Amino acid sequence: MVVAIPERTHEHLNAYETAISQYNRAVRYLDYDEGLVDYMRYPRREFTVNFPVRRDTGEIEMFTGYRVHHNTALGPSKGGLRYSTAVTLDEVRALAMWMTWKSALVNIPYGGAKGGVVVDPRTLSTGELERLTRRYASELLPLVNPMSDIPAPDMGTNSQVMAWFMDTYSMTVGYSVPAVVTGKPMSVGGSEGRTEATGRGVIITMEASLHTHGEDDPSRIDIAVQGFGNVGSNAALYAHELGYRVVAVSDIDGGIYNPGGLDIPAVIAFAAERGSVLDFPRAENITNEELLATPCDVLIPAAMEGQLHRDNADDVKARYVVEGANGPTTPDGDDILNDRGIHVVPDILANAGGVIVSYFEWVQDMQAFFWDKDEVLNRLQRIMAKAYKQVQANAELHQIDMRTAAQVTAIKRVGEAIQTRGFYP
Ligand code: GLU
């Protein structure tokens, strides 16, 4: 017997319940046997580690980490490492499943994985962060290598964390292996364009959706961005550069609003110095809940899961929701947004730019041959535009919303690979 998959039990679903509910909704459009449907529902491997880290005081503290491989039919598993106190096994399972669909949707040869450590990285010194990362990396050695499982940055981690991960792996095997992680600094085999890739991809898909609905003039579009980490800040910056008006942004402490538009490069500089966007001059402080209800044309939730739900989806004023985060909308939230005719560009499409350029980084590392930035960004643009068109075509074919259409497109590719390979033994 395998352990039970959660049912929808209460209105504020956890991320895994959301992922399963979305899958159940989408898989109905594919004529698959119940066995195959069930197979794709389950994570393939779940790995839990408990490990010690020496604090700067000399004391030893225990930490719990996870790595989950959801499905590997299309290739090595790929997905980020998250450092957050909200990390749970269920969250990592959901994020791993979404990585399977994301990679399949944009047609890159990867399965899905995710990892996480239960920790608030802001409470660690640089030395503690390095020791935690190196020990977690060594605990993951049975799973991770460039041919089987390739981590990357996610919430709470960055290119420096990836460099320590790569160094720990390389020291263990005795030679340098840049391809073991992506999202590394350029000095150790990173790719041009990787840092801004996810945020840029969010804006590429936002424009695809706007253009589909005949909205071609950036100066008439107001944008609100929830989350000012790597994804949110780069999405805001790229939108600003293209001439859109970014009227509100927020981080974990709250947000800022100026209906005349925010000077995003100045907000980025301010947040880098102060640690938060709050109190930015010439803007009004708002809460994160107020940000989601900001008067604007496009809302970009780029923080975390479960932000738009049954109790607040009715308050959204935007006409478009472009999901920079993974799983920001619960199924109840989805129903409300769809009923209200709000155009949703779903996470596995909107935020796929990160894993696409991660794939380019891995390819470059494996070949030890590096591309210039134009080549990276042009290829990113082409892949995202193609994926958007395929999702739109499936939405029209089945008369379904963009999220379900994206999942159908992805699940079909994974299902076909599983059936073609056959069931072992
Ligand atoms: N953490 C990112 C995501 O959720 C990137 C994953 C990767 O590049 O492997 O898509």
Side-chain angles (χ1 to χ4, degrees), residues 231-254:
V231 181
S233 65
N234 278 296
L237 182 62
Y238 189 44
H240 179 83
E241 286 168 1
L242 293 175
Y244 293 92
R245 200 164 31 233
V246 182
V247 294
V249 299
S250 72
D251 57 36
I252 196 162
D253 299 318

Side-chain angles (χ1 to χ4, degrees), residues 48-322:
T48 301
V49 294
N50 298 298
F51 59 91
V53 176
R54 192 182 298 280
R55 302 297 298 238
D56 291 343
T57 57
E59 279 163 39
I60 296 297
E61 193 175 327
M62 290 300 293
F63 289 87
T64 298
Y66 305 101
R67 184 79 180 163
V68 171
H69 296 176
H70 173 254
N71 187 287
T72 57
L74 289 171
S77 55
K78 186 85 188 79
L81 302 175
R82 175 171 291 200
Y83 290 176
S84 156
T85 51
V87 164
T88 62
L89 183 53
D90 266 1
E91 185 192 50
V92 180
R93 285 167 165 162
L95 292 162
M97 189 178 203
W98 285 322
M99 285 308 304
T100 301
W101 309 142
K102 196 185 303 185
S103 297
L105 176 61
V106 294
N107 231 347
I108 56 179
Y110 286 142
K114 204 77 171 200
V117 177
V118 188
V119 61
D120 178 355
R122 297 183 303 178
T123 62
L124 303 177
S125 68
T126 304
E128 290 169 341
L129 187 63
E130 176 174 353
R131 291 194 291 279
L132 177 133
T133 298
R134 288 185 179 280
R135 181 62 191 244
Y136 176 50
S138 71
E139 296 294 336
L140 294 190
L141 284 174
L143 295 185
V144 167
N145 78 64
M147 300 313 294
S148 71
D149 181 24
I150 308 128
D154 196 79
M155 188 190 297
T157 60
N158 57 23
S159 61
Q160 178 60 67
V161 169
M162 295 306 114
W164 288 324
F165 198 108
M166 173 268 189
D167 184 69
T168 304
Y169 182 89
S170 299
M171 287 298 114
T172 309
V173 296
Y175 49 92
S176 291
V177 188
V180 71
V181 287
T182 59
K184 300 178 295 295
M186 293 287 294
S187 56
V188 291
S191 175
E192 291 282 4
R194 175 62 185 86
T195 309
E196 58 269 47
T198 315
R200 212 179 165 99
V202 169
I203 300 305
I204 292 172
T205 58
M206 176 193 81
E207 289 208 302
S209 186
L210 287 169
H211 294 173
T212 303
H213 299 97
E215 305 202 46
D216 292 331
D217 181 0
S219 70
R220 299 170 73 97
I221 302 293
D222 289 355
I223 302 177
V225 184
Q226 187 202 31
F228 212 61
N230 176 267
V231 181
S233 65
N234 278 296
L237 182 62
Y238 189 44
H240 179 83
E241 286 168 1
L242 293 175
Y244 293 92
R245 200 164 31 233
V246 182
V247 294
V249 299
S250 72
D251 57 36
I252 196 162
D253 299 318
I256 52 174
Y257 174 57
N258 180 341
L262 296 162
D263 177 356
I264 296 300
V267 178
I268 290 174
F270 181 87
E273 203 189 306
R274 300 274 289 261
S276 171
V277 298
L278 273 186
D279 299 327
F280 181 73
R282 296 178 305 283
E284 181 192 333
N285 281 344
I286 55 173
T287 65
N288 259 297
E289 209 51 40
E290 284 167 341
L291 183 129
L292 298 172
T294 300
C296 62
D297 301 289
V298 181
L299 173 63
I300 300 179
M304 65 179 302
E305 312 90 69
Q307 297 300 296
L308 294 170
H309 47 74
R310 186 162 145 171
D311 299 331
N312 67 1
D314 263 323
D315 303 332
V316 170
K317 310 272 188 312
R319 297 175 293 119
Y320 295 81
V321 171
V322 185

Side-chain angles (χ1 to χ4, degrees), residues 12 15 36 127 129 173 186 193 202 290 330 340 361 391 396 401 406:
H12 289 297
L36 177 59
L129 187 63
V173 296
M186 293 287 294
V202 169
E290 284 167 341
T330 68
R340 294 182 57 209
E361 179 174 335
V391 174
E396 279 162 21
D401 60 274

